Amino acid sequence: MIKKLTAVIGIFLFAATAHAQNGYSNYAQQTTQINTLAKTYPQLVKVKSIAKTAGGKDTWMLTIGNGNTETKPGIAIVGGVEGNHLLGMEMAIGFAEKLLQASHADSIKNLLGKTSFYVFPNMSPDAMEQYFAPLQYERQGNASQTDDDRDGKLNEDGYDDLDGNGKITWMRIESPVGDYKINPDDPRVLIKADLTKGEKGKYLLLPEGIDNDKDGSFNEDGEGGVWFNKNLSFKHPSFTQGAGEFAVSEIETKGLLDNLYQLFNVYAVVSFSSNNNLSSPFTYVAVNPVPRVVAGYLEQDAKTNAMVADLYNKTNSMKDAPKTNPAGGDFLSWAYYHYGRFSYSTPGWFVPKTKPDTTKKEKAFASEDIQANYLRWATQHGIPAVYTEWKKITHPDFPGQNVEVGGLDPFVLINPPYKLVTEIVKTHTDFIVKLAGYQPELDIINLKTEKLGAGITRITATVINRGALPSHAKLGERSYWVKRINVKLDTEKNQSVISGKKIQLLNALEGYGSRELSWLIKGSGKLILEAGSPTTGSKKMEISL
Ligand SMILES: [Ca+2]
Ligand SMILES: [Ca+2]
Ligand SMILES: [Ca+2]
Ligand SMILES: [Ca+2]
């Protein structure tokens, strides 16, 4: 339930401030952009809906490539992993647009001939529309109905726009048990009082709202059901808000997984979310992989992550984004642990650390605080309307207490001003194109035949990976969903394999790695040696005995 207490003031303020981030596409605009690509480049793009959400919205998938896309190694790109992250959707659609706009250039023409791209631009189409709604707040949940606090009532206590400005910000309540204080570096925001330094808090800090059902919790069950980035199967956070009744309970989650599981050729998954292993890679922790259920990066995959992160940081200027610890049920983890592929995610943008502008008498901050840093960054860059002045209100749950509503606006910490989006899309498109340049590629070299007498020939050959990426994630060796390298000798009727395997599967070949193989064959004539896998492509050679 959402109430507007002071609607008249609200309309006025809403018009003045709510769309400081104008420019992001809503769902209808995204749909138009996607279908325009399919019309403009019919030879290179196929669009389909993988699911219709509980909110009645199609979840789109674009297949980009030349000819038979499933026979080439591929990269999947996923946006809208979190419903409040509009930037990620722009990045995914923007990648498709930039790539196709450049498809006449030889380099991209060649790329589309050897790599397929699968773009899922928006996995949270229900939630993202809250950005464009009359009441703006950061929403992650889709339109499925959920009883988030399991009290038998649905959507009984959502946010309330107490100052009527059309967005949900914060409320601070003066209280002797408050754990927040005014940030001395910037009085517009609050920070946690440091009890270890003997500091005392002055305020309770809560998102703007009323305890509508008087159960003692604020805003615990509003509109918005299941979060895509909590609905996946690796460490599914069962019984928490937004996780869904069970893993992959949502039709759009299932639609994505059904499609990806059929794509054996996908070797890397790049997603855009608050999780980050690109500007700062995951590291190998020796103890983690020992248990039967792997819960940490394998050593070889951590090395690959470091190499890809290095490429990312050379291509991109996103700085200062923190390391993250995925919370479980998330897509980044699923794509590695359950899909068995190289999986990378980045928020795409993070508020850069500012330096004080001494000409304006700004001082260095005494404590690190993302909100104060953001406000100074916004001022230094002339970004308007990112903050709501604190204003005293009467709050039914805190009679006689001093309650104010205000603070940082929703969305601004994760979605930059729109004028920055073009450059972010460009650098991330460059990154994905360069990542495709690291693609594993199988070849056969040093083929030798030696006659040993009595009609027997020894064949030796080296199977190599010409790419910088390993042929598979090391973890993928344990997965049914990853096809390993198949090496096969196609013999004729008058030939027999005396030593060596006619068909053998190889484990992951490291980047630029090789494996020498040999066979003894009795007989004469020609035979075919073939090695390959969906993620590496394959190579065939004719051998004369
Ligand atoms: Ca409830
Ligand atoms: Ca408000
Ligand atoms: Ca409740
Ligand atoms: Ca409540």
Side-chain angles (χ1 to χ4, degrees):
M1 182 169 50
I2 291 158
K3 289 177 190 165
K4 284 194 188 172
L5 293 187
T6 46
V8 178
I9 302 170
I11 290 161
F12 171 69
L13 285 175
F14 175 73
T17 60
H19 287 298
Q21 288 182 304
N22 252 339
Y24 285 98
S25 296
N26 64 19
Y27 174 76
Q29 289 165 324
Q30 289 177 355
T31 300
T32 304
Q33 284 172 279
I34 291 161
N35 288 302
T36 301
L37 287 177
K39 273 189 218 123
T40 314
Y41 306 97
Q43 303 301 318
L44 298 174
V45 192
K46 290 198 172 50
V47 173
K48 71 169 184 175
S49 169
I50 56 168
K52 218 184 235 314
T53 61
K57 294 194 164 69
D58 282 307
T59 313
W60 301 111
M61 169 183 181
L62 292 86
T63 300
I64 303 175
N66 220 335
N68 189 355
T69 47
E70 287 186 25
T71 59
K72 295 159 199 154
I75 299 180
I77 293 121
V78 184
V81 171
E82 288 152 339
N84 56 353
H85 190 226
L86 282 93
L87 174 63
M89 306 166 197
E90 299 280 340
M91 290 163 77
I93 298 176
F95 165 76
E97 285 177 344
K98 280 238 152 11
L99 196 71
L100 290 162
Q101 282 159 11
S103 58
H104 60 276
D106 285 345
S107 62
I108 301 298
K109 215 183 269 174
N110 291 342
L111 175 66
L112 292 176
K114 74 187 232 324
T115 309
S116 302
F117 296 93
Y118 303 96
V119 183
F120 303 85
N122 184 359
M123 292 311 301
S124 305
D126 291 347
M128 60 93 64
E129 289 284 78
Q130 205 65 49
Y131 178 89
F132 303 92
L135 183 59
Q136 237 196 349
Y137 61 90
E138 291 189 23
R139 172 171 160 178
Q140 300 240 31
N142 67 8
S144 290
Q145 297 278 332
T146 54
D147 179 4
D148 295 327
D149 60 338
R150 297 175 181 265
D151 64 353
K153 289 172 277 185
L154 294 176
N155 302 347
E156 77 283 359
D157 188 357
Y159 299 117
D160 305 87
D161 187 11
L162 300 173
D163 62 350
N165 68 344
K167 51 194 161 192
I168 296 303
T169 60
W170 300 91
M171 56 184 189
R172 62 186 192 193
I173 304 106
E174 229 176 294
S175 160
V177 295
D179 49 354
Y180 278 82
K181 60 168 195 172
I182 303 277
N183 186 341
D185 291 324
D186 188 330
R188 292 174 291 180
V189 291
L190 287 86
I191 50 168
K192 266 216 154 132
D194 189 346
L195 301 178
T196 64
K197 288 182 184 156
E199 292 176 0
K200 200 173 148 18
K202 189 181 171 193
Y203 294 101
L204 293 170
L205 185 66
L206 293 168
E208 196 179 342
I210 296 170
D211 179 8
N212 303 100
D213 62 341
K214 307 295 169 218
D215 66 353
S217 302
F218 286 84
N219 317 318
E220 77 283 357
D221 188 358
E223 274 177 48
V226 179
W227 306 18
F228 171 73
N229 210 29
K230 284 180 95 173
N231 191 227
L232 289 130
S233 49
F234 181 74
K235 290 191 177 171
H236 180 249
S238 308
F239 306 115
T240 63
Q241 181 185 15
E245 287 297 312
F246 49 90
V248 202
S249 60
E250 302 309 290
I251 189 163
E252 61 272 32
T253 316
K254 188 173 180 300
L256 178 67
L257 270 47
D258 283 349
N259 276 280
L260 286 178
Y261 276 132
Q262 283 171 24
L263 294 170
F264 287 99
N265 57 331
V266 167
Y267 60 91
V269 180
V270 176
S271 58
F272 305 125
S273 76
S274 58
N275 287 321
N276 175 24
N277 67 341
L278 276 175
S279 77
S280 170
F282 290 150
T283 48
Y284 168 66
V285 182
V287 69
N288 275 344
V290 178
R292 195 179 59 84
V293 177
V294 177
Y297 263 52
L298 298 181
E299 193 169 10
Q300 210 165 302
D301 297 335
K303 270 188 205 157
T304 306
N305 193 165
M307 176 181 76
V308 173
D310 187 57
L311 176 69
Y312 181 80
N313 287 325
K314 279 180 184 150
T315 318
N316 199 280
S317 60
M318 184 181 78
K319 288 190 179 69
D320 308 319
K323 262 188 204 290
T324 55
N325 216 344
D330 59 286
F331 181 69
L332 172 62
S333 299
W334 174 84
Y336 177 64
Y337 291 105
H338 285 175
Y339 190 40
R341 314 302 161 96
F342 297 117
S343 175
Y344 305 113
S345 174
T346 171
W349 177 78
F350 200 79
V351 192
K353 272 202 182 106
T354 57
K355 290 197 182 83
D357 182 347
T358 45
T359 63
K360 290 186 182 137
K361 293 184 182 163
E362 286 175 355
K363 287 182 194 148
F365 287 153
S367 48
E368 238 179 71
D369 174 44
I370 183 178
Q371 296 201 355
N373 179 60
Y374 175 77
L375 287 171
R376 189 165 68 184
W377 178 84
T379 307
Q380 289 178 353
H381 289 78
I383 316 286
V386 293
Y387 167 80
T388 301
E389 293 290 341
W390 293 100
K391 196 174 83 178
K392 204 170 161 157
I393 57 143
T394 309
H395 197 296
D397 296 317
F398 302 100
Q401 281 178 269
N402 183 17
V403 182
E404 292 158 283
V405 168
L408 215 61
D409 284 351
F411 297 102
V412 298
L413 285 178
I414 48 174
N415 299 287
Y418 193 75
K419 63 181 181 186
L420 300 184
V421 171
T422 307
E423 181 63 17
I424 294 167
V425 166
K426 187 189 169 300
T427 54
H428 285 81
T429 300
D430 289 349
F431 162 69
I432 296 169
V433 167
K434 284 181 185 164
L435 180 63
Y438 280 13
Q439 179 166 304
E441 185 187 341
L442 212 73
D443 200 357
I444 301 170
I445 59 166
N446 300 339
L447 182 67
K448 267 194 317 202
T449 52
E450 297 163 77
K451 298 248 185 249
L452 302 180
I456 296 173
T457 307
R458 177 189 287 133
I459 300 172
T460 50
T462 308
V463 175
I464 63 162
N465 174 8
R466 291 195 181 276
L469 284 176
S471 59
H472 310 99
K474 193 74 188 158
L475 191 80
E477 287 175 8
R478 309 176 185 201
S479 168
Y480 168 77
W481 300 104
V482 174
K483 298 261 185 247
R484 289 185 286 162
I485 298 166
N486 188 358
V487 184
K488 184 169 80 175
L489 268 184
D490 235 344
T491 48
E492 297 288 333
K493 273 190 196 123
N494 63 339
Q495 301 161 349
S496 57
V497 180
I498 295 175
S499 154
K501 290 178 183 157
K502 204 165 176 300
I503 292 176
Q504 59 186 309
L505 293 176
L506 302 187
N507 280 335
L509 262 187
E510 285 190 59
Y512 309 121
S514 64
R515 177 91 187 268
E516 199 185 89
L517 301 168
S518 77
W519 300 264
L520 292 179
I521 311 290
K522 193 177 171 73
S524 61
K526 289 186 183 352
L527 55 87
I528 305 280
L529 171 62
E530 185 176 4
S533 76
T535 57
T536 58
S538 60
K539 178 84 185 213
K540 250 187 204 178
M541 287 187 116
E542 197 184 65
I543 301 169
S544 299
L545 294 175

